[in-house]
Structures are given as C-alpha cells and as structure tokens.
C-alpha cells in the first residue's frame, strides 16, 4: 500500500508505456500563448520529491510546462516533452495528441502497440465533454486491451462550488458503476498539479494548465474510492486518502498523505515541493 499514491503519479506514463515513441530530440516549442502555469508569489514549482525519487519540471519562455523528468533512485531518468500548437498539444515520447477546442482537450489520440496483453495494435481515441462553464463533466477512455477491441469506461464528474465532488467510473456498454471517487475539500487554493491523487484527467501537467477545463478551486482534504465491482473479494472495498498541506511563505512545501482501507490497512507518505 505504501507506494499506491506514488503509482498514481506515474499512472499516466505507465498506462501509455507501450505507445509509439519519437526519435525527435528537438527542444519543445510553442505556438499557443493561451496555455500557461500561473506563478505563485512569483515562483514556479520545479521539483516534487518522494523518498529517493523526484520529478523535475521545466518551462518554456511562455510559462508552459515543456519538460518533465522522472528521476528514479537507481539514477535512471525518463523524460517527457510537451509541444503546444494552436489546436493541439503533443506529449512525447508517448506520441499522444491532445486535440483542443475552445482551449480544452476534446480528444486524445494515441497508438497502443502489441504487448504481452494483446497481439493487436490499437488506435485509441479518448473523448472529453464540458458544460457551458468549462467544467469537465464526462470522459470516455479505453482500459482493457486484451480483446480485439478495447473495452471502454465512462467517467462522469459531478461539481459543486467549482470543485469535483464525485467521479463515477462505469462500463460504457451497461452504465453500471464500478468505482466511485468521493472528494471533500480544504479551503486552500488549488495552485499545484494534482499528482498525489487521481480522479481527474490522464495527464496531471496538462490538467494543471487548464487544458481539461476549469480546475478545481480548492485542494482536496479527503478522497474515498469505493469499489462496486461484482468480484466478491472486492465489492464494497474502499480506500480513503487524507491530505495535510504544509505551507511556507504562501507556497505549499510538503504534502502528507495517509491512506486507510475499510479492511483495516493503513500507510503514510510524504512529498516535498520545491519552488523557484
């Protein structure tokens, strides 16, 4: 359980680790000036540290996330790059193309290559829907590549006071709820990427820059994930993450996370944030 939260940070990368890669080593450039990360007290988040590993964040001249580097404890580094165009964002080396409409991701296209799970190649298209206020209200994504055709899941987002309070994950074909994410919030303004929880989008750094619509106004205090699958050993299982934020001069410098299950298991984790 100890690494559960850190795995959520890596999930967007791991989920696409079998996608086509690029050999382009050029520096990320931008022709889109509508996307950027606002500064906090004149500073930007540059590092997220977790134990012996850390993630470093680089920005281009327009204040957009251009590179994210994942540094493991064995000294190896994995690097992601972002190219911003007028109507799309390209995430490399995953070769994901996020198509934009009115500044928000409308579709996400990528290719899943044959792997141990399946001998097929899949051209994947994820779709996102927003309300008239720019809130993300629905997303459709594939999750199982073992069949001839990927099985899709639908995510429905319920909002209150500009915060997501409930995410329902269901099978697209029958609408039955499989998982529910129930979220309660602090009064702390949300100005960091939601790397420590996973209930929003499949790319935390684009979500941070508003590419998936209006961001949650506040930082979460508690997230409870309940399993409603039909498997007897998992039905009704839930895990709750509770967050404590430590600030210094108006900047969040540490996040303490405690997870507990309704089966009695618990663990604690901590993240350190550096600003520049």
């Amino acid at each position: 359980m100890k690494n559960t939260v850190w795995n959520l940070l890596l999930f967007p990368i791991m989920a696409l680790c079998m996608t086509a890669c690029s050999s382009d080593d050029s520096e990320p450039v931008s022709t889109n000036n509508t996307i950027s990360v606002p500064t906090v007290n004149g500073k930007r988040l540059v590092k997220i540290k977790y134990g012996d590993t850390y993630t470093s964040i680089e920005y281009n001249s327009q204040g957009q996330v251009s590179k994210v580097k994942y540094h493991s404890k064995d000294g190896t580094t994995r690097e992601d790059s972002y190219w911003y165009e007028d109507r799309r964002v390209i995430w490399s080396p995953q070769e994901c193309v996020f198509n934009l409409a009115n500044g928000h991701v409308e579709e996400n296209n990528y290719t899943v290559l044959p792997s141990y799970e399946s001998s097929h190649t899949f051209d994947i298209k994820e779709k996102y829907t927003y309300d008239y206020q720019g809130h993300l209200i629905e997303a459709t994504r594939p999750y199982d590549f073992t069949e001839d055709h990927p099985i899709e899941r639908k995510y429905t987002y319920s909002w209150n006071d500009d915060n997501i309070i409930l995410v329902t994950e269901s099978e697209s074909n029958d609408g039955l709820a499989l998982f529910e994410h129930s979220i309660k919030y602090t009064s702390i303004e949300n100005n960091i990427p939601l790397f420590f929880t996973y209930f929003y989008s499949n790319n935390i750094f684009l979500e941070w820059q508003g590419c998936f619509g209006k961001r949650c106004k506040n930082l979460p205090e508690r997230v409870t994930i309940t399993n409603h699958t039909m498997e007897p050993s998992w039905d009704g299982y839930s895990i709750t993450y509770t967050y404590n934020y430590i600030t210094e001069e108006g900047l969040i410098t540490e996040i303490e996370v405690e997870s507990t299950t309704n089966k009695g298991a618990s663990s604690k984790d901590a993240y350190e944030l550096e600003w520049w």
Side-chain angles (χ1 to χ4, degrees):
M1 178 91 49
K2 180 176 177 56
N3 292 322
T4 300
V5 180
W6 184 244
N7 289 337
L8 297 180
L9 169 59
L10 299 180
F11 178 82
I13 309 300
M14 295 169 63
L16 301 177
C17 64
M18 296 307 298
T19 56
C21 295
S22 168
S23 59
D24 188 356
D25 295 326
S26 60
E27 289 294 316
V29 295
S30 174
T31 59
N32 185 321
N33 59 9
T34 64
I35 299 171
S36 65
V37 176
T39 59
V40 181
N41 292 343
K43 296 185 177 182
R44 296 190 188 278
L45 180 63
V46 295
K47 182 183 288 187
I48 302 166
K49 185 178 180 182
Y50 175 78
D52 296 328
T53 66
Y54 69 94
T55 299
S56 58
I57 307 166
E58 298 178 9
Y59 304 86
N60 61 25
S61 60
Q62 294 177 251
Q64 301 162 332
V65 174
S66 58
K67 290 187 177 182
V68 179
K69 298 178 181 179
Y70 300 89
H71 306 264
S72 63
K73 62 181 180 180
D74 63 5
T76 59
T77 301
R78 183 174 65 252
E79 179 179 305
D80 285 1
S81 299
Y82 294 86
W83 281 261
Y84 301 87
E85 300 178 359
D86 290 340
R87 294 185 59 84
R88 67 177 189 171
V89 178
I90 302 174
W91 175 25
S92 180
Q94 286 72 24
E95 287 300 311
C96 283
V97 177
F98 296 87
N99 294 310
L100 305 175
N102 299 317
H104 302 154
V105 174
E106 184 178 50
E107 291 182 353
N108 175 20
N109 301 307
Y110 56 94
T111 299
V112 175
L113 300 178
S115 68
Y116 70 92
E117 290 185 322
S118 173
S119 59
H120 299 278
T121 297
F122 301 106
D123 291 321
I124 302 301
K125 178 181 290 187
E126 301 179 352
K127 297 182 179 180
Y128 298 85
T129 304
Y130 306 84
D131 66 13
Y132 73 97
Q133 294 177 308
H135 298 118
L136 176 64
I137 57 175
E138 186 176 291
T140 303
R141 307 187 193 120
Y143 82 99
D144 188 343
F145 304 104
T146 58
E147 304 294 336
D148 290 346
H149 302 284
I151 299 173
E152 288 190 337
R153 280 189 180 171
K154 182 172 72 174
Y155 299 78
T156 304
Y157 303 84
S158 300
W159 292 75
N160 181 53
D161 192 24
D162 279 341
N163 285 318
I164 296 174
I165 58 172
L166 180 68
V167 181
T168 302
E169 181 179 346
S170 60
E171 296 279 9
S172 294
N173 58 349
D174 57 23
L176 295 177
L178 298 176
F179 298 92
E180 287 185 340
H181 304 240
S182 178
I183 307 106
K184 294 186 180 299
Y185 291 84
T186 67
S187 60
I188 303 172
E189 181 182 355
N190 176 19
N191 52 29
I192 60 175
L194 299 177
F195 61 86
F196 48 92
T197 186
Y198 184 76
F199 61 85
Y200 206 146
S201 67
N202 74 343
N203 189 294
I204 57 174
F205 294 104
L206 290 184
E207 182 276 325
W208 186 27
Q209 298 177 97
C211 294
F212 288 91
K214 184 176 290 186
R215 303 195 68 227
C216 291
K217 181 176 66 176
N218 303 109
L219 288 174
E221 175 185 355
R222 186 168 66 251
V223 177
T224 298
I225 304 173
T226 304
N227 189 321
H228 294 298
T229 59
M230 300 305 292
E231 299 177 29
S233 60
W234 287 102
D235 190 20
Y237 172 88
S238 67
I239 183 169
T240 297
Y241 298 98
T242 304
Y243 309 101
N244 181 47
Y245 305 93
I246 299 172
T247 61
E248 184 176 318
E249 298 181 350
L251 303 171
I252 295 175
T253 57
E254 188 173 349
I255 303 174
E256 298 172 337
V257 183
E258 181 175 5
S259 63
T260 57
T261 74
N262 60 348
K263 305 296 185 181
S266 64
S267 66
K268 293 184 178 181
D269 295 283
Y271 301 88
E272 298 177 13
L273 283 65
E274 293 185 13
W275 303 76
W276 185 258

